[in-house]
PDB file of all heavy atoms in Angstrom:
ATOM      1  N   ILE A  50       4.429   7.297   0.153  1.00 98.00           N
ATOM      2  CA  ILE A  50       4.458   5.867   0.059  1.00 98.00           C
ATOM      3  C   ILE A  50       5.722   5.227   0.717  1.00 98.00           C
ATOM      4  O   ILE A  50       6.822   5.675   0.272  1.00 98.00           O
ATOM      5  CB  ILE A  50       4.280   5.353  -1.424  1.00 98.00           C
ATOM      6  CG1 ILE A  50       2.939   5.761  -1.851  1.00 98.00           C
ATOM      7  CG2 ILE A  50       4.463   3.852  -1.486  1.00 98.00           C
ATOM      8  CD1 ILE A  50       2.710   5.524  -3.408  1.00 98.00           C
ATOM      9  N   SER A  51       5.569   4.282   1.631  1.00 98.00           N
ATOM     10  CA  SER A  51       6.764   3.757   2.252  1.00 98.00           C
ATOM     11  C   SER A  51       7.109   2.387   1.536  1.00 98.00           C
ATOM     12  O   SER A  51       6.342   1.816   0.813  1.00 98.00           O
ATOM     13  CB  SER A  51       6.516   3.614   3.760  1.00 98.00           C
ATOM     14  OG  SER A  51       5.452   2.666   4.003  1.00 98.00           O
ATOM     15  N   TRP A  52       8.234   1.888   1.910  1.00 97.00           N
ATOM     16  CA  TRP A  52       8.673   0.569   1.398  1.00 97.00           C
ATOM     17  C   TRP A  52       9.538  -0.045   2.433  1.00 97.00           C
ATOM     18  O   TRP A  52      10.143   0.666   3.283  1.00 97.00           O
ATOM     19  CB  TRP A  52       9.384   0.572   0.062  1.00 97.00           C
ATOM     20  CG  TRP A  52      10.606   1.427   0.044  1.00 97.00           C
ATOM     21  CD1 TRP A  52      11.971   0.939   0.161  1.00 97.00           C
ATOM     22  CD2 TRP A  52      10.639   2.853  -0.202  1.00 97.00           C
ATOM     23  NE1 TRP A  52      12.770   1.929   0.038  1.00 97.00           N
ATOM     24  CE2 TRP A  52      12.052   3.179  -0.207  1.00 97.00           C
ATOM     25  CE3 TRP A  52       9.692   3.841  -0.425  1.00 97.00           C
ATOM     26  CZ2 TRP A  52      12.577   4.496  -0.390  1.00 97.00           C
ATOM     27  CZ3 TRP A  52      10.223   5.092  -0.601  1.00 97.00           C
ATOM     28  CH2 TRP A  52      11.499   5.424  -0.536  1.00 97.00           C
ATOM     29  N   SER A  53       9.508  -1.371   2.463  1.00 97.00           N
ATOM     30  CA  SER A  53      10.352  -2.062   3.446  1.00 97.00           C
ATOM     31  C   SER A  53      10.796  -3.387   2.892  1.00 97.00           C
ATOM     32  O   SER A  53      10.258  -3.806   1.884  1.00 97.00           O
ATOM     33  CB  SER A  53       9.509  -2.421   4.683  1.00 97.00           C
ATOM     34  OG  SER A  53       8.349  -3.185   4.342  1.00 97.00           O
ATOM     35  N   SER A  54      11.896  -3.975   3.397  1.00 94.00           N
ATOM     36  CA  SER A  54      12.298  -5.308   3.037  1.00 94.00           C
ATOM     37  C   SER A  54      12.778  -6.007   4.260  1.00 94.00           C
ATOM     38  O   SER A  54      13.219  -5.445   5.249  1.00 94.00           O
ATOM     39  CB  SER A  54      13.405  -5.183   2.015  1.00 94.00           C
ATOM     40  OG  SER A  54      14.646  -4.662   2.682  1.00 94.00           O
ATOM     41  N   SER A  55      12.697  -7.376   4.148  1.00 92.00           N
ATOM     42  CA  SER A  55      13.178  -8.206   5.380  1.00 92.00           C
ATOM     43  C   SER A  55      14.636  -8.056   5.619  1.00 92.00           C
ATOM     44  O   SER A  55      15.176  -8.134   6.674  1.00 92.00           O
ATOM     45  CB  SER A  55      12.732  -9.652   5.194  1.00 92.00           C
ATOM     46  OG  SER A  55      13.316 -10.140   3.960  1.00 92.00           O
ATOM     47  N   GLY A  56      15.395  -7.672   4.552  1.00 93.00           N
ATOM     48  CA  GLY A  56      16.826  -7.527   4.663  1.00 93.00           C
ATOM     49  C   GLY A  56      17.312  -6.100   4.816  1.00 93.00           C
ATOM     50  O   GLY A  56      18.479  -5.864   4.865  1.00 93.00           O
ATOM     51  N   ASN A  57      16.369  -5.168   4.883  1.00 93.00           N
ATOM     52  CA  ASN A  57      16.790  -3.721   4.980  1.00 93.00           C
ATOM     53  C   ASN A  57      17.744  -3.324   3.951  1.00 93.00           C
ATOM     54  O   ASN A  57      18.730  -2.748   4.182  1.00 93.00           O
ATOM     55  CB  ASN A  57      17.186  -3.355   6.340  1.00 93.00           C
ATOM     56  CG  ASN A  57      16.190  -3.558   7.446  1.00 93.00           C
ATOM     57  OD1 ASN A  57      15.027  -3.164   7.208  1.00 93.00           O
ATOM     58  ND2 ASN A  57      16.483  -4.181   8.543  1.00 93.00           N
ATOM     59  N   CYS A  58      17.374  -3.685   2.593  1.00 95.00           N
ATOM     60  CA  CYS A  58      18.370  -3.379   1.479  1.00 95.00           C
ATOM     61  C   CYS A  58      17.556  -3.226   0.283  1.00 95.00           C
ATOM     62  O   CYS A  58      16.323  -3.341   0.145  1.00 95.00           O
ATOM     63  CB  CYS A  58      19.315  -4.518   1.365  1.00 95.00           C
ATOM     64  SG  CYS A  58      18.421  -6.176   1.256  1.00 95.00           S
ATOM     65  N   SER A  59      18.228  -2.767  -0.783  1.00 94.00           N
ATOM     66  CA  SER A  59      17.670  -2.552  -2.100  1.00 94.00           C
ATOM     67  C   SER A  59      18.454  -3.183  -3.273  1.00 94.00           C
ATOM     68  O   SER A  59      18.259  -2.822  -4.413  1.00 94.00           O
ATOM     69  CB  SER A  59      17.579  -1.007  -2.304  1.00 94.00           C
ATOM     70  OG  SER A  59      18.861  -0.416  -2.373  1.00 94.00           O
ATOM     71  N   ASP A  60      19.198  -4.168  -3.031  1.00 94.00           N
ATOM     72  CA  ASP A  60      19.930  -4.979  -4.031  1.00 94.00           C
ATOM     73  C   ASP A  60      18.970  -5.764  -4.903  1.00 94.00           C
ATOM     74  O   ASP A  60      18.303  -6.701  -4.350  1.00 94.00           O
ATOM     75  CB  ASP A  60      20.958  -5.811  -3.274  1.00 94.00           C
ATOM     76  CG  ASP A  60      21.724  -6.655  -4.376  1.00 94.00           C
ATOM     77  OD1 ASP A  60      21.594  -6.555  -5.504  1.00 94.00           O
ATOM     78  OD2 ASP A  60      22.707  -7.331  -3.908  1.00 94.00           O
ATOM     79  N   ARG A  61      18.933  -5.499  -6.211  1.00 96.00           N
ATOM     80  CA  ARG A  61      18.022  -6.296  -6.971  1.00 96.00           C
ATOM     81  C   ARG A  61      18.260  -7.768  -7.088  1.00 96.00           C
ATOM     82  O   ARG A  61      17.318  -8.540  -7.433  1.00 96.00           O
ATOM     83  CB  ARG A  61      18.066  -5.612  -8.423  1.00 96.00           C
ATOM     84  CG  ARG A  61      17.035  -6.102  -9.350  1.00 96.00           C
ATOM     85  CD  ARG A  61      17.077  -5.502 -10.745  1.00 96.00           C
ATOM     86  NE  ARG A  61      15.844  -5.736 -11.401  1.00 96.00           N
ATOM     87  CZ  ARG A  61      15.618  -5.615 -12.656  1.00 96.00           C
ATOM     88  NH1 ARG A  61      16.567  -5.114 -13.429  1.00 96.00           N
ATOM     89  NH2 ARG A  61      14.524  -5.957 -13.257  1.00 96.00           N
ATOM     90  N   TYR A  62      19.509  -8.146  -6.825  1.00 96.00           N
ATOM     91  CA  TYR A  62      19.886  -9.489  -6.943  1.00 96.00           C
ATOM     92  C   TYR A  62      19.823 -10.255  -5.640  1.00 96.00           C
ATOM     93  O   TYR A  62      20.422 -11.307  -5.441  1.00 96.00           O
ATOM     94  CB  TYR A  62      21.289  -9.586  -7.533  1.00 96.00           C
ATOM     95  CG  TYR A  62      21.265  -8.994  -9.010  1.00 96.00           C
ATOM     96  CD1 TYR A  62      21.667  -7.755  -9.137  1.00 96.00           C
ATOM     97  CD2 TYR A  62      20.898  -9.779 -10.062  1.00 96.00           C
ATOM     98  CE1 TYR A  62      21.586  -7.211 -10.545  1.00 96.00           C
ATOM     99  CE2 TYR A  62      20.795  -9.249 -11.309  1.00 96.00           C
ATOM    100  CZ  TYR A  62      21.149  -7.896 -11.570  1.00 96.00           C
ATOM    101  OH  TYR A  62      21.184  -7.422 -12.850  1.00 96.00           O
ATOM    102  N   ASN A  63      19.117  -9.692  -4.700  1.00 95.00           N
ATOM    103  CA  ASN A  63      19.026 -10.339  -3.377  1.00 95.00           C
ATOM    104  C   ASN A  63      17.456 -10.360  -3.011  1.00 95.00           C
ATOM    105  O   ASN A  63      16.728  -9.359  -2.905  1.00 95.00           O
ATOM    106  CB  ASN A  63      19.675  -9.456  -2.279  1.00 95.00           C
ATOM    107  CG  ASN A  63      19.653 -10.091  -0.890  1.00 95.00           C
ATOM    108  OD1 ASN A  63      18.771 -10.897  -0.596  1.00 95.00           O
ATOM    109  ND2 ASN A  63      20.615  -9.747  -0.096  1.00 95.00           N
ATOM    110  N   SER A  64      16.908 -11.582  -2.890  1.00 94.00           N
ATOM    111  CA  SER A  64      15.542 -11.734  -2.681  1.00 94.00           C
ATOM    112  C   SER A  64      15.005 -11.182  -1.355  1.00 94.00           C
ATOM    113  O   SER A  64      13.789 -11.046  -1.173  1.00 94.00           O
ATOM    114  CB  SER A  64      15.119 -13.183  -2.917  1.00 94.00           C
ATOM    115  OG  SER A  64      15.637 -14.023  -1.944  1.00 94.00           O
TER     116      SER A  64
END
Side-chain angles (χ1 to χ4, degrees):
I50 296 173
S51 63
W52 59 95
S53 58
S54 71
S55 58
N57 294 318
C58 51
S59 62
D60 179 358
R61 186 173 196 197
Y62 297 96
N63 182 337
S64 62

